[in-house]
Amino acid sequence: MFFKLSVVVTSVFITLAAAIPNTTPPVTTPTSNQCCDSVVSSSSTAASVVAAVLGLDLTGLNVPVGLSCSPITVLGNNCGGTEVTCDAPQQEFGGLIAINCIPITA
């Protein structure tokens, strides 16, 4: 009985993994000011997990990525994290990840 259940569960996971398309995000000149909770390497475990959830393939990219980001606005710059300029606006990935983040220096 347990064997049949494990075969069914494994089949479901394989089907779901195949259904989620992996796309490589574009890397362009950073133009979007963001406040991110953290900035990590695109090859880090944390970045890989978030990217996998979003269906992004970070393989081969060697850029810093921001995690849990929101746009910095002129009216309310209360960034409690790291201020960076990134490629991808947070709207594209729901604020979970931003690509090619360079620290903003004053």
Side-chain angles (χ1 to χ4, degrees):
M1 178 66 180
F2 179 73
F3 177 74
K4 289 180 182 179
L5 178 61
S6 64
V7 169
V8 169
V9 170
T10 302
S11 298
V12 168
F13 282 127
I14 290 171
T15 303
L16 287 175
I20 299 173
N22 281 340
T23 58
T24 302
V27 176
T28 59
T29 303
T31 57
S32 176
N33 291 344
Q34 303 280 319
C35 177
C36 300
D37 285 350
S38 62
V39 177
V40 298
S41 168
S42 56
S43 62
S44 73
T45 302
S48 297
V49 168
V50 173
V53 168
L54 296 171
L56 298 175
D57 181 10
L58 300 181
T59 305
L61 292 182
N62 188 19
V63 295
V65 296
L67 302 176
S68 297
C69 300
S70 60
I72 295 175
T73 62
V74 176
L75 297 176
N77 184 5
N78 296 326
C79 181
T82 304
E83 294 181 24
V84 292
T85 300
C86 304
D87 285 357
Q90 64 82 235
Q91 294 88 347
E92 287 185 28
F93 305 116
L96 295 176
I97 195 168
I99 308 299
N100 197 21
C101 296
I102 299 170
I104 296 173
T105 55

